[in-house]
Amino acid sequence: MSTGSSFLAQIYPTLLTLAVSAAGGAVATALGMPAGWLMGGALAVTAAAMAGLPMAIPNRLRDVVFVLVGMMMGASVAPDSLSLIASWPVSLAALAVELVLIISLTGWMLSAVFKLDTGTAYMSSFPGHLSFVMGIASAGVGEPRQIAIIQVIRILMLTIVVPIGAMFLPIDHFTPPVASEFLNVWQLLGLAAGCIAVGLVFIWLKVPAGLVLGSMAAATAAKLGGLYTEAMPGPLVIAAFILVGAQIGSRFAGITRQEFVNAAKGGVVATAMTVGIVTVMAWIVSLIVDMPYGQIWLGLSPGALEGMGALGIALGYDTAFIAAHHVIRLLMLSFAIPAVVILIRRREKAA
């Protein structure tokens, strides 16, 4: 096999994944679905992966996705975001209560109803911090494959629920402001370099989702500091949505249909319970603070930060609010996950 053929064979799964995501996004957008490039791409790649096609996003391209989403979130921060921080304690308190409810109720349900072992049930119930959860699962707490499937189902369903809700429910969403000026190539390269540098510092400091949050921090600081006022170019935003959709859907690669069927029922019910809890908590917060319900829901939703951030951009919400709440959620889970694992270990020893 020639070098060229070998190279094409290596990149073929990635090119196919991106093509499938772009096609799915184009169809969803043509049908008028909110966040169509993101949701359509995620659904299309998921379907292709479950059909056995080689869907894959390499780690380096995944890092590019993180930087792009962070840049977009920072560039989309509203100038008056900081003035709204006074209303955040209410939603942050709701976030804490919500996490306790989700972990305890869905963990109990998966154990009592679907007869999963305690480790698998509660590791599957954690709403986020997937890499941390899978690391602990790989160390012998629960069944890693089943946990992975249930967690990925949660991420995919949350990505789908928000745009569908925006279409059919009386939830406020806004068309992102139409920009008249866009960042040029040199501005984009300079901003990207700053975002990568700060992202690497965040990773070194072990900040959860460090590359996304570091990129957003750099882009936000540059915007609020007056270094730029222009918007991200439209084609680049669409490309980022296609990449995020591809990344979400490709997580189903390598999962057999039987494995999916075995874990899907529990995963769907657990995600439905999670969505219900988030919906009620967001509604309660919306009665207290003057903020769009959909924005509160995205801030409290336990989806992947890059996915929820991209949805926030597509639906015209305040990305600073959404990002801040996801950071706090990840920090809360950083303490909650080890504590629950200790309780699981003690329960196993007692049994």
Side-chain angles (χ1 to χ4, degrees):
M1 181 180 292
S2 66
T3 303
S5 298
S6 177
F7 176 72
L8 285 175
Q10 290 177 357
I11 66 171
Y12 171 73
T14 301
L15 295 177
L16 180 61
T17 303
L18 296 177
V20 169
S21 182
V27 170
T29 301
L31 293 174
M33 303 195 75
W37 288 108
L38 174 57
M39 187 181 73
L43 283 174
V45 175
T46 297
M50 295 306 300
L53 294 177
M55 297 287 103
I57 294 294
N59 289 339
R60 292 303 181 192
L61 185 54
R62 181 202 62 186
D63 291 341
V64 172
V65 175
F66 291 159
V67 172
L68 277 176
V69 172
M71 287 173 62
M72 290 195 308
M73 291 175 70
S76 301
V77 168
D80 61 345
S81 293
L82 298 180
S83 66
L84 301 176
I85 291 178
S87 64
W88 290 9
V90 174
S91 51
L92 290 175
L95 179 63
V97 173
E98 169 189 289
L99 291 180
V100 173
L101 291 174
I102 290 173
I103 295 168
S104 58
L105 294 179
T106 59
W108 171 84
M109 181 276 299
L110 289 171
S111 177
V113 178
F114 291 94
K115 307 304 179 183
L116 300 184
D117 64 87
T118 303
T120 301
Y122 282 91
M123 295 301 286
S124 299
S125 73
F126 287 116
H129 233 332
L130 182 58
S131 58
F132 191 8
V133 168
M134 294 311 302
I136 293 178
S138 300
V141 181
E143 171 50 49
R145 293 282 288 185
Q146 202 159 30
I147 293 169
I149 297 170
I150 293 175
Q151 290 280 10
V152 171
I153 287 173
R154 169 183 59 83
I155 293 170
L156 178 65
M157 283 185 65
L158 286 169
T159 304
I160 297 170
V161 162
V162 178
I164 291 178
M167 283 186 68
F168 298 108
L169 298 177
I171 297 174
D172 292 332
H173 66 281
F174 312 98
T175 301
V178 178
S180 58
E181 296 183 345
F182 301 93
L183 293 166
N184 61 41
V185 173
W186 296 111
Q187 287 175 307
L188 284 170
L189 290 175
L191 183 60
C195 289
I196 292 170
V198 177
L200 292 175
V201 172
F202 274 39
I203 291 174
W204 180 70
L205 294 173
K206 301 189 184 303
V207 175
L211 203 49
V212 179
L213 294 176
S215 297
M216 181 182 176
T220 301
K223 182 173 185 179
L224 296 181
L227 296 182
Y228 72 96
T229 57
E230 298 85 356
M232 297 283 285
L236 186 60
V237 173
I238 292 173
F241 286 161
I242 292 171
L243 285 166
V244 173
Q247 179 177 308
I248 293 171
S250 66
R251 287 173 170 169
F252 282 92
I255 296 175
T256 66
R257 293 183 185 179
Q258 190 58 49
E259 284 179 318
F260 179 80
V261 170
N262 291 341
K265 291 181 181 179
V268 170
V269 174
T271 304
M273 289 177 64
T274 298
V275 169
I277 292 169
V278 172
T279 300
V280 172
M281 296 304 296
W283 174 72
I284 292 172
V285 173
S286 71
L287 298 177
I288 303 171
V289 302
D290 182 18
M291 197 176 293
Y293 176 84
Q295 178 173 297
I296 298 170
W297 201 99
L298 270 180
L300 297 183
S301 66
L305 173 58
E306 65 274 13
M308 295 301 101
L311 282 173
I313 295 168
L315 297 174
Y317 292 137
D318 178 11
T319 53
F321 174 88
I322 295 169
H325 284 67
H326 281 268
V327 172
I328 298 300
R329 173 173 58 87
L330 293 174
L331 291 175
M332 289 178 178
L333 287 172
S334 296
F335 294 99
I337 292 171
V340 173
V341 169
I342 291 172
L343 293 175
I344 291 172
R345 291 297 197 191
R346 288 180 178 177
R347 182 172 178 177
E348 290 175 346
K349 288 181 180 179

